[in-house]
Amino acid sequence: MIFFSNFASTMNYSGIIVGAAVFLSIGICHPAVIKIEYHWGKQSWWVWLVIGLLCTGCSLAVKNQILSTILGGFAFSCLWGIHEMFLQEKRVLKGWFPENPKRHAYYEAKRAELGIKL
């Protein structure tokens, strides 16, 4: 019993904490990309850039190692969101995701431009 007590007190939990936080940030960013593309379209990619750069700056400024790593992971999840924003529009154009009815004319023009038929 003493062995397990000593073992538990010497374990490093930071990897698990960072892993869970990055997993959560990916889980937040993926549906956010879908929602933002639906409402504002791919031209809102700059939102991901601003958030990513802000989190990168905060990651560099924070002294706490775990928090700095979590912010860096979230920053790069947001920067990856820029790429996903453009892919999400392609998914909508192919009919894999619903399109915003208010932006139907835009999608139809884009489909005609790219030669995509539903």
Side-chain angles (χ1 to χ4, degrees), residues 5 9 12-13 19 29-31 35 40-41 47 62 66 69-71 88 90 93 95 100 107-108 112 115 117:
S5 175
S9 67
N12 185 354
Y13 294 100
C29 288
H30 179 68
K35 288 286 187 190
W40 297 312
V47 172
V62 170
I66 294 173
T69 306
I70 290 170
L71 284 167
Q88 181 63 21
K90 290 179 183 176
L93 291 171
N100 186 339
Y107 288 121
E108 284 300 311
K117 300 202 185 225

Side-chain angles (χ1 to χ4, degrees), residues 3 5 8 16-18 24 26 29 33 38 41 50 52 63 67 74 79 89 101 105 107 111:
F3 170 75
S5 175
I16 299 297
I17 294 168
V18 169
L24 183 64
I26 293 167
C29 288
V33 164
Y38 181 85
V50 169
K63 301 258 187 245
L67 185 57
F74 187 72
L79 294 173
E89 182 184 69
Y107 288 121
R111 283 186 190 106

Side-chain angles (χ1 to χ4, degrees), residues 11-58:
M11 288 176 59
N12 185 354
Y13 294 100
S14 62
I16 299 297
I17 294 168
V18 169
V22 171
F23 180 74
L24 183 64
S25 73
I26 293 167
I28 290 169
C29 288
H30 179 68
V33 164
I34 295 168
K35 288 286 187 190
I36 290 173
E37 194 285 328
Y38 181 85
H39 291 289
W40 297 312
K42 74 174 181 186
Q43 69 271 12
S44 59
W45 65 267
W46 60 268
V47 172
W48 295 104
L49 178 65
V50 169
I51 295 170
L53 291 176
L54 284 173
C55 287
T56 300
C58 289

